[in-house]
Amino acid sequence: MSEDMSAYPLRLEGDDVPMVRFMNVTKSYGALVVLDSLDLDVAAGEMVSVIGPSGSGKTTVLRMLMTLETINGGVIYVDGQPLTHMEKNGVLVPASEKHLRKMRADIGMCFQHFNLFPHMTAVENCMEAPVHVLGLSKKEARERSLELLQMVGLEDKVDQHPSRLSGGQQQRVAIARALAMRPKVMLFDEVTSALDPEVIGEVTNVIRELVDKHNLTMLMVTHQMGFAKEISDRVCFFFGGKIEEQGSPDELFGNPQKERTQQFLSAVMEAG
Amino acid sequence: MGFDWRWDFTFEILPRLLLATLNTLLAAGLGYAIAVVLGLVLALAQRTPSRVLTRAVREVVEFIRSTPLVLQIFFVYYVGPQFGIRLSPWTSGMIAIGLHYASYLSEVYRGGLESVPKGQWEAARALNFSTARTYFRIIIPQALPPSLAGMGNYLVGIFKDTPMLSVIGVAELMHTANAIGSESYRFLEPYTLVGVIFLLISLPTAALIRVFESWVRKKLGLI
């Protein structure tokens, strides 16, 4: 496991530095290779959807970027700086917890099962990290949180605990909670998969508004092809730990080139 | 020998036993306070990345749980002085019973901590909380409700185990009942009273714990 780290730049420089760069990233669990030499750039302000069959490694991409998973090879850069590594004596070495904490501040994530803190109200969920991680005053954090809860349409639910909220409402609180940290990159990991069909729209509307009005960089793993087609700048189809095909929504959904992409899309479309 | 209950004797010794009950409650309270805090330390110590520490604490907990409390009380009180550690009966008793119940409570906490879903850790990490904050603001408040039933059982348990402190001369209920018996050669009344007093405290405590448990769940917004 001794990779030659000199092949990786200490930081990315130039005019077109991507917000996120996966460079030759490999992830495996024992003998099982989940991601195989992944190269993927996401430009600042870009919305990239990740689709593919289960087990294709798409969720792992987000989890590595959120530093919930370590990587086995390669380097991930965020805003030009190495995320998974840090510079030491002119070479990249695996990142320390301190470095990860510094870098993680730029990244926010929403999960399939919301993962709200059940013992806190909606507004407390949003305030907790701004107060205790960013060091905002309670007043500032509360104002920021109320503003975001209003944006996601939950101004009348701010003092409710998650157990009193529907799935769609919980996911909207989770989006507000992540945004309260003012990340540069937002990750959505199958955020509508655990929702009842009639409330999916509540959540997709919020994401649509983020795409329209905010200059966030977003990566979204989804099974909702229609939504991905509508709001993405680019769609990546993952298969077997690699990007099998990627392109604009029109290209990928309208005229897929690879056989596996065609098979996957026709299978999903058939299922409705 | 017939049933010979003397009410006048009963009322004569009652004040003395009630006074000793205060000592019993104090011993149970102090011992439990030690156990609650130390138990958490033992539980958290088993969750650090250090395998050596985890293993060492695990062994200590197993050792304490597998040996009798009364032996541990004797050990602290009588063996301590051989190593120059001379402690009063109260101090020895509190250390022994506190440590003993800390090891049981650490197992209760361990179960509670493990019951918190993995997603809570991931959300805390995604929001960039430090490990300490994650524990104290996110994980422990959620681990508490499922731990309360077990914690309550051990509160009653430690209370019922305080008579063991009589072996090193802590003047709690049992010790006082023994003293009354050897002074008056009457054992029926003092021992019966001790039993009744224990019963009258244990039963409402167990009920109160159940009320407290649902109050905490409500307070934390979990129901």
Side-chain angles (χ1 to χ4, degrees), chain B residues 17-33 90 94 155 158-160 162-163 165 170-173 197-198 200-202 205:
Chain B
L17 286 173
L18 288 178
L19 206 62
T21 306
L22 293 180
N23 274 348
T24 289
L25 290 174
L26 184 66
L30 277 177
Y32 194 66
W90 266 96
M94 289 305 94
L155 174 61
I158 201 169
F159 171 64
K160 288 191 301 172
T162 50
L165 299 173
V170 172
E172 48 66 68
L173 256 180
I197 290 171
F198 268 100
L200 286 178
I201 295 173
S202 293
T205 304

Side-chain angles (χ1 to χ4, degrees), chain A residues 63 67 101 116 119 128, chain B residues 119-120 122 125 128 137 220:
Chain A
R63 293 176 56 82
T67 71
R101 281 201 78 195
L116 288 180
H119 55 300
E128 186 68 15
Chain B
Q120 294 291 309
E122 294 183 346
R125 198 167 157 88
N128 222 354
R137 303 282 306 186
L220 291 175

Side-chain angles (χ1 to χ4, degrees), chain B residues 134-151:
Chain B
T134 304
Y135 267 113
F136 287 102
R137 303 282 306 186
I138 313 295
I139 304 302
I140 291 177
Q142 293 180 65
L144 188 64
S147 304
L148 282 175
M151 290 174 74

Side-chain angles (χ1 to χ4, degrees), chain A residues 49-52 58 190-197 199-205 207-208 220-232 235 253 264-265 268-269 272:
Chain A
S49 287
V50 178
I51 62 169
K58 55 193 195 303
E190 299 192 29
V191 288
T192 56
S193 296
L195 297 178
D196 292 329
V199 299
I200 288 178
E202 298 173 7
V203 174
T204 50
N205 282 339
I207 298 176
R208 192 174 288 121
M220 175 173 81
V221 170
T222 186
H223 291 294
Q224 281 188 284
M225 299 306 148
F227 184 54
K229 187 177 177 185
E230 176 203 330
I231 69 159
S232 308
V235 180
F253 290 109
F264 174 78
L265 288 176
V268 197
M269 295 310 171

Side-chain angles (χ1 to χ4, degrees), chain B residues 68-90:
Chain B
L69 172 60
V70 73
L71 173 71
Q72 291 160 14
I73 294 171
F74 274 137
F75 219 86
V76 175
Y77 187 61
Y78 289 114
V79 180
Q82 287 195 10
F83 297 93
I85 306 167
R86 212 167 289 277
L87 299 169
S88 72
W90 266 96

